[in-house]
Amino acid sequence: MDNVTYVPEKLEVWNRELADRLTSNTVILSLFTIVGLLGNSTVIIIYSFIMKSDKEERYFIPFLAAVDLCACLVCASSGIANNMMQATFENIFACKALQFLVPLFTFSSILFLLIIAVHRYLKVCKPFGKQMTLKWKQFAMCLSLITSLILSLPMIYFHGVVSFPNTEKGIIGLRCSRSKSANKTLSLILGGFLVIATVAIILSLVIMYSKIGYTILIHFRPTKAINENKSQLEMENSTDVDKSRKRISSHEDPLSDEEDKNYSIQTDNTDLSGYCSAKRTTRDYPVCILPIYLYRQQGKSVIREQQLKVSTTALRQEDDVEREITIG
């Protein structure tokens, strides 16, 4: 270690070699930065200035896009800076600032997603229960930002500029990483807490969105079944009506005015009043008109009743004719 020194020329060559190995990662981070910048900026512009109606229902979207935009820029910038300065990161202030801002915006984005999930869960699964008012939404956002700030502050203590040697070239490099002087026990406790909190948030999101999806599925499934049964019922009733019209209009002898009057009065006085009415066609034959929304069983009972009355009238006319022939 005594022969290891800080030589700028050798350090630059070594740093360039390390950066070249991470070129693909740097390109991907650059693409993520461009896509995140364009996408989140578009969302902010649309939801803040174009879609002005029902802002309360989309209250969280512009804030989530703003936080994601900052997270995208900061996280990608931090990754690119670390890739480009693998052995020459000397600015301790920039190192601590990046290590503080990265978890700040990341935690804020995750907590915003949790708040949005709770808001949607209440809207879909508990529509008649208590909902999030505007004040509660603002309070939840402030609470998430404060929580993120508290969780990010320890990163300033745990991170800094760390030196690491290259014994082969006899030089010392500097990088932004976890500080060697930080308490390892506290670091493990904080890391474990963050892992548990992240898993709990992910499970909460999965459970709430699963219930939301199940509720929506149950809501639309009966409607679909009702529509299918309704369509089938309409087709069956329409077929029954057509058959009844053909059967009733097949009689050759038309009814007299008196018979038609009695026929109509009898029909209107039945328990099925309103479902069927006697009307004369151009050929003076009675036709039974049934609404297509009647139940199939009701429609059949009405058709049988009208057919019975028409048949009785026809038999009465035949008896009168036979009686006249006998007298003559």
Side-chain angles (χ1 to χ4, degrees):
M1 292 290 295
D2 297 336
N3 296 328
V4 177
T5 58
Y6 180 82
V7 181
E9 294 79 7
K10 293 184 179 181
L11 191 62
E12 288 293 337
V13 175
W14 183 34
N15 182 77
R16 194 177 302 110
E17 293 175 356
L18 295 175
D20 291 340
R21 298 175 184 176
L22 300 172
T23 301
S24 59
N25 183 265
T26 303
V27 173
I28 294 174
L29 290 175
S30 301
L31 293 176
F32 285 165
T33 304
I34 296 173
V35 174
L37 177 62
L38 294 177
N40 289 293
S41 300
T42 303
V43 172
I44 293 173
I45 293 173
I46 292 176
Y47 279 88
S48 299
F49 302 102
I50 298 178
M51 300 178 65
K52 295 183 179 181
S53 60
D54 296 333
K55 282 189 174 182
E56 187 174 352
E57 296 297 328
R58 298 184 292 268
Y59 181 80
F60 298 108
I61 302 301
F63 295 101
L64 177 62
V67 172
D68 286 343
L69 175 62
C70 295
C72 180
L73 294 176
V74 173
C75 294
S77 300
S78 176
I80 293 173
N82 286 325
N83 290 344
M84 299 300 295
M85 294 182 289
Q86 280 286 303
T88 58
F89 207 123
E90 302 176 0
N91 194 329
I92 187 172
F93 176 78
C95 175
K96 290 183 176 292
L98 289 174
Q99 295 299 326
F100 165 74
L101 293 175
V102 168
L104 174 65
F105 291 116
T106 303
F107 295 152
S108 298
S109 179
I110 294 174
L111 292 177
F112 278 13
L113 290 175
L114 180 63
I115 296 172
I116 293 173
V118 173
H119 177 253
R120 292 176 177 175
Y121 173 79
L122 294 176
K123 283 285 186 181
V124 177
C125 300
K126 306 288 183 180
F128 302 106
K130 292 184 178 180
Q131 302 294 324
M132 295 182 67
T133 61
L134 182 60
K135 291 183 178 180
W136 276 106
K137 293 176 182 178
Q138 294 173 348
F139 174 76
M141 289 183 58
C142 293
L143 182 62
S144 64
L145 291 175
I146 293 173
T147 304
S148 301
L149 179 64
I150 294 174
L151 294 176
S152 301
L153 282 174
M155 301 301 175
I156 299 176
Y157 166 73
F158 289 116
H159 291 82
V161 175
V162 180
S163 60
F164 63 102
N166 186 338
T167 55
E168 295 180 359
K169 297 184 178 182
I171 54 178
I172 298 177
L174 301 174
R175 65 172 55 170
C176 181
S177 181
R178 187 180 298 274
S179 179
K180 296 179 181 179
S181 60
N183 191 311
K184 294 184 178 181
T185 303
L186 293 177
S187 178
L188 291 175
I189 293 174
L190 179 62
F193 173 77
L194 293 178
V195 171
I196 294 174
T198 303
V199 173
I201 292 174
I202 293 174
L203 290 177
S204 300
L205 292 174
V206 171
I207 292 173
M208 283 188 287
Y209 277 109
S210 298
K211 290 186 176 181
I212 291 172
Y214 179 76
T215 303
I216 294 174
L217 181 63
I218 293 299
H219 176 75
F220 282 103
R221 182 180 295 174
T223 305
K224 183 178 180 181
I226 291 173
N227 291 333
E228 292 178 354
N229 293 334
K230 184 177 178 181
S231 301
Q232 184 178 1
L233 185 61
E234 290 177 0
M235 294 177 62
E236 293 175 353
N237 284 333
S238 178
T239 303
D240 291 339
V241 171
D242 293 338
K243 291 181 179 179
S244 66
R245 289 179 176 178
K246 292 179 180 179
R247 291 176 181 176
I248 295 174
S249 61
S250 62
H251 293 276
E252 296 180 356
D253 297 328
L255 297 178
S256 63
D257 295 338
E258 184 178 357
E259 290 170 341
D260 181 58
K261 182 178 179 181
N262 295 332
Y263 175 80
S264 299
I265 292 173
Q266 291 174 2
T267 302
D268 294 337
N269 288 336
T270 61
D271 295 335
L272 297 174
S273 177
Y275 293 146
C276 184
S277 62
K279 294 185 179 180
R280 285 187 175 275
T281 63
T282 56
R283 298 179 57 188
D284 292 331
Y285 291 120
V287 177
C288 182
I289 306 300
L290 292 177
I292 61 174
Y293 292 106
L294 291 181
Y295 290 101
R296 184 181 181 185
Q297 200 63 32
Q298 290 178 336
K300 285 186 176 180
S301 62
V302 172
I303 292 170
R304 287 197 297 269
E305 182 181 3
Q306 302 309 320
Q307 289 175 351
L308 178 62
K309 290 180 180 179
V310 173
S311 300
T312 303
T313 304
L315 291 174
R316 190 187 305 118
Q317 291 179 349
E318 291 178 0
D319 293 338
D320 291 342
V321 173
E322 291 179 357
R323 190 181 300 110
E324 291 177 359
I325 295 173
T326 304
I327 293 173

